[in-house]
Amino acid sequence: MSVVSRRAALRTLAAGGVAAAWPMAALAAPLARPIPSTGEMIPAIGLGSWITFNVGDDPPARAACAEVMRAFFAGGGRMIDSSPMYGSSQSVIGEGLARIGRAGDVFATDKVWVSGAGRGPAQIERSRELWGVDRFDLMQVHNLLSWEGHLATLFEMKAAGRLRHVGITTSEGRRHDEIERVMRSHPIDFVQITYNVLDREVERRILPLAQERGIAVIVNRPFREGALLREIGARALPAFAAEIGAASWAQFVLKFILAHPAVTCAIPATTRVDHVRENLAAAAGPLPSAALRRRMADHVQAL
Ligand SMILES: NC(=O)c1ccc[n+]([C@@H]2O[C@H](COP(=O)([O-])OP(=O)(O)OC[C@H]3O[C@@H](n4cnc5c(N)ncnc54)[C@H](OP(=O)(O)O)[C@@H]3O)[C@@H](O)[C@H]2O)c1
């Protein structure tokens, strides 16, 4: 955050104008991690958009999404993730970025999701128009659909300077063998997978391989679409959560994820300004050691 905007934020706080729950998130320097292939730093908390930003044409709902984005950028966030699969989300993001004047700050992350590589370029161009950005910072092949052909398109676009990074995605442990094969055989910059305190399959092979090959890792479904927090949210946080500054279950889970050395960023989705601040704040304090991470996983497993 620049000195000027930090001062402006302090003035707003002094005037009591910021929703109270997580006010310091706007002022703390967020954790950033390098993208291994380029060294560029990226904030470790991004923003998902599946379901949460698929609000159709409803003007108040679209305005509320813009406020979530405003709080996200104010707290130091940059990566927003979307897909043509997510209904109106791409247009909601584009409208929000224009409304809050942040199209130049976003790390625009989208996906190609269409059967048949020949249809990829038109879909990517339509997505770019909806976002209102000059080019995407990252384009991923969604769930490996027609991945051979789409990857060829994406590498060509990157070589021509029309795209900055190339990636692939999956979720919930699906097709990990194939993900691994692509990671070994193609010079991708990013891989996006599911990882959280209960879904830990990627710890066996995908995360170590990402470290070995210098591939950035985006973690999707950190809260299992909210179900994880609903399940454990009624229980008291363990006393040791205080050791890492986790003041909520959401922060507990995000700190567990971010402390894995292979993880570049997590992309929790939310409809709420207080939640986006809470999630960003998870990256501002201490992170658990390897030993404490084992204890965290064991604790949640036993709940
Ligand atoms: N194959 C793929 O490429 C793939 C697959 C799945 C997901 N993704 C990406 O990953 C993103 C995240 O995954 P996800 O959408 O499954 O959901 P998620 O981030 O695991 O969970 C989102 C849910 O958690 C709740 N939440 C967020 N922050 C919270 C907080 N601090 N306290 C309490 N509740 C909180 C939200 O409710 P509120 O609105 O009330 O905050 C929302 O219902 C997606 O949006 C998408 O961008 C990619």
Side-chain angles (χ1 to χ4, degrees), residues 249-272:
W249 279 112
Q251 293 189 338
F252 184 97
V253 173
L254 290 173
K255 281 175 180 288
F256 172 86
I257 294 168
L258 297 181
H260 192 292
V263 169
T264 310
C265 63
I267 49 169
T270 181
T271 56
R272 290 176 46 165

Side-chain angles (χ1 to χ4, degrees), residues 290-302:
L292 190 51
R293 293 181 83 248
R294 281 193 292 278
R295 200 170 161 202
M296 294 167 87
D298 290 347
H299 183 85
V300 173
Q301 195 77 52

Side-chain angles (χ1 to χ4, degrees), residues 49-50 81 143 169 192 220-221 223 225 269-271 275 279:
S49 67
W50 178 47
D81 175 82
N143 289 347
T169 83
Q192 183 182 141
N220 63 35
R221 297 182 64 81
F223 305 140
E225 204 189 319
T270 181
T271 56
H275 283 173
N279 297 344

